[in-house]
Amino acid sequence: MATEATSPRRRWRGLGPAVPALALLALFFVIPVVSLLLRSILEPQFGLQNYAELFATSTYARVFYNTFLVASVVTAVSLALGYPVAWLLAIMPPGRANLVLAIILVSMWTNLLARTYAWMVLLQRTGVINTTLMKLGLIDEPLALVKNLTGVTIGMTYIMLPFIILPLYASIRTLDPAILQAASLCGAGRWQAFRRVLLPLSAPGAAAGGLMVFVMSLGYFVTPALLGGASHMMLAEMIAQLVQSLLNWGLGSAAAFVLLTVTLALYSVQIRFFGGMR
Amino acid sequence: MLLTYHRLGGLGIALWAITIGVCLFLLVPIIFIAALSFGSSRWLAFPPPAWTLRWYQELAADPRWLEAALTSAKVGLLSAALAVLLGLMASFALVRGRFRGRNFLKALFLTPMVLPVIVFAVAIYALFLRVGLNGTLVGFVLAHTVLAFPFAVIPIVNSLEGFDKSIEDAAVLCGASPLQAKLKITLPAIRIGLFSAAVFAFLISWDEVVVAIFMASPDLQTLPVRIWGALRQDLTPVIAAASTILVAFTLLVMAAVALLRRRISR
């Protein structure tokens, strides 16, 4: 046993085939990301001034606020809409379930820009939603649905829904219907059975899906950049602007570091409490 | 009875109403764009005043769109090939290796999937600025291979874990070399995993926007970069036409995958 632990050849047995992949990720993933993060404390000079500026400036504080607000609302709405769908999907007859699943998968695999474009068109001032509401006499003026956080929230919810529904569906499907029958035999009403049995049993799936959507929303770039406006910026767009337009690499990488830290922290919570990312 | 479909009663109606609503929410924008791409209104009025193929003709008349599509296809195929090759080798190490830090390696291999893409995009952009790889095919392929890698590794590891290694060992005992046994016995047995890996990796690259926006030059753009550029200018129906083609392409790939998987698994 002692030799197995100490013999260097044994220690690395079987690692060989992974070396090319390891080299690729080291050269083009780990090193660039780490050196980007280092720039946040090295540019323009060594110190934490970038972080101080990031947290003290009200413009940047506003961006953080926008980002967390949108991510929270998107997660809450996706959970509220996705839970009933996942629940029904888990128990409906297979034929219909396949149809619903196909719709979800088609939407999920449709090009992101195509979907965002669709919402830009639908939500614009002269778009279908505004013209229909005006024809119905519900509003007199077109609503401002795009170039603000409302538009971002609608577009992001649209994109995130499948990421809530699919894991929740998988977790509810593993529950045994007999448990709910037992609850009802023991005298539980529907509401009580839902609140005391179904909800707690499906909570890990809901929390895992919700956390994933929240984390993905925090770092999302495309949809907020197109459906939000310059005055309603979110974190990812701010990082892109700082680096590309303002060439302020120090501040940009400080913002990237904040995003990375929050993301990894939330994922480690998920792995810790819900085990893995399946 | 909350998990027994036939005994949901009134609750079932409520759940169905929400489910149908969500399905419409997911489906209508896609159908809407397809309809608008055949509509004659430049300002995307709905319902369109007349039907036309004009936007598709404009799309075809502009060689930059075709060029971008070809670039996307090239980058996608090369990245998928590279990701599957590296992923296959890495999977052998992950499934059969008995080395220290195997779990760490597994976690590292999945990180490109969970790291916010914007962070990777800015990081690789900075590196490529230094070594002059921005706006090159090699740069695109390397960056997309990193992003596609986890999506290639997961299905291959899953199918390799389901494969009984003693079959491969039997081939070796019968006189095959270890490499021969892997090529002739193991690879065919895990072909569904390899196939899924290739499709996923290709689609990840084909649809990737963020890294591509940073790396693209005026001379070398992928299709999403081209759409992004057009979107920032105005909402011309030409984008609706391009989007519709993309959606049709994705549907075709998905249908082909479903068919092939059924065939392969027989």
Side-chain angles (χ1 to χ4, degrees), chain A residues 126-249:
Chain A
T126 54
V128 180
I129 293 176
N130 268 321
T131 49
T132 313
L133 287 177
M134 278 165 76
K135 253 183 222 157
L136 291 174
L138 292 172
I139 49 169
D140 301 322
E141 288 271 296
L143 299 172
L145 295 171
V146 83
K147 296 287 163 206
N148 57 31
L149 293 183
T150 314
V152 177
T153 307
I154 296 173
M156 296 271 289
T157 305
Y158 177 75
I159 283 154
M160 294 301 167
L161 262 171
F163 294 101
I164 286 273
I165 296 175
L166 294 178
L168 245 183
Y169 157 70
S171 99
I172 295 180
R173 221 161 65 124
T174 59
L175 301 181
D176 187 350
I179 302 171
L180 272 299
Q181 274 162 5
S184 123
L185 282 177
C186 295
R190 277 168 174 255
W191 171 241
Q192 220 179 357
F194 174 72
R195 205 172 52 91
R196 309 260 314 252
V197 182
L198 183 59
L199 203 57
L201 283 176
S202 55
L211 205 61
M212 187 166 86
V213 164
F214 185 76
V215 172
M216 281 170 68
S217 306
L218 283 182
Y220 227 64
F221 175 71
V222 173
T223 310
L226 290 173
L227 285 170
S231 48
H232 301 280
M233 208 185 278
M234 281 175 58
L235 191 48
E237 197 188 356
M238 181 178 92
I239 297 172
Q241 276 215 348
L242 282 171
V243 167
Q244 252 188 334
S245 320
L246 305 173
L247 301 177
N248 191 338
W249 284 90

Side-chain angles (χ1 to χ4, degrees), chain A residues 5 10-15 17-18 20-22 24-25 27-30 32-33 36 39 81 84-85 87-88 91-93 96 100 103-107 109-115 117-122 124 128 154 157-158 161-162 165 172 175-177 180-181 184 190 193-194 198 219 221-222 225-226 236-237 239-240 243-244 249 256 259-260 263-264 267 277-278, chain B residues 1-5 7-9 11-12 15-16 18-19 22-23 25-27 29-30 32-33 36 43-44 46 86 89-90 92-93 97-100 105 108-112 114-116 118-120 122-130 133 142 145-146 149 158 200 203-204 206-207 209-210 213-214 224-225 227-228 231-232 235-237 239-240 243 246-247 250-251 254:
Chain A
R10 283 241 166 138
R11 208 182 288 164
W12 302 113
R13 205 166 80 181
L15 177 67
L22 206 54
L24 175 90
L25 289 186
L27 280 177
F28 298 106
F29 184 69
V30 178
V33 170
L36 176 76
R39 289 175 89 159
L81 288 176
V85 178
W87 176 3
L88 188 64
I91 59 174
M92 71 169 75
R96 284 177 226 178
V100 175
I103 291 175
I104 294 170
L105 286 177
V106 164
S107 145
W109 281 102
T110 294
N111 185 282
L112 176 65
L113 284 172
R115 287 183 284 166
Y117 170 73
W119 283 107
M120 289 169 82
V121 174
L122 281 165
Q124 64 180 335
V128 180
I154 296 173
T157 305
Y158 177 75
L161 262 171
I165 296 175
I172 295 180
L175 301 181
D176 187 350
L180 272 299
Q181 274 162 5
S184 123
R190 277 168 174 255
F194 174 72
L198 183 59
F221 175 71
V222 173
L226 290 173
E237 197 188 356
I239 297 172
V243 167
Q244 252 188 334
W249 284 90
L259 176 61
L260 184 78
T263 303
L264 293 184
Y267 271 125
M277 287 172 296
R278 303 225 155 182
Chain B
M1 320 305 200
L2 296 176
L3 287 177
T4 316
Y5 181 69
R7 297 169 83 171
L8 283 172
L11 187 64
L15 289 180
W16 263 115
I18 299 175
T19 302
V22 166
C23 285
F25 178 63
L26 290 177
L27 214 50
I30 301 173
F32 177 76
I33 284 306
L36 276 186
W43 293 277
L44 302 153
F46 193 87
L86 294 180
M89 293 168 67
F92 273 104
R98 292 288 167 267
F99 49 86
R100 274 186 169 192
L105 199 66
L108 174 71
F109 283 167
L110 297 185
T111 334
V114 297
L115 189 86
I118 185 74
V119 176
F120 173 64
V122 172
I124 198 86
Y125 172 66
L127 174 75
F128 284 1
L129 271 182
R130 255 176 233 182
L133 278 175
L142 285 172
T145 305
V146 169
F149 185 72
N158 283 343
F200 277 133
L203 284 179
I204 290 294
W206 175 261
D207 274 343
V209 200
V210 184
I213 293 171
F214 276 89
V225 177
I227 299 179
W228 172 267
L231 268 180
R232 295 232 116 178
L235 296 178
T236 158
I239 306 174
S243 301
L246 276 180
V247 173
T250 312
L251 285 180
M254 282 176 61

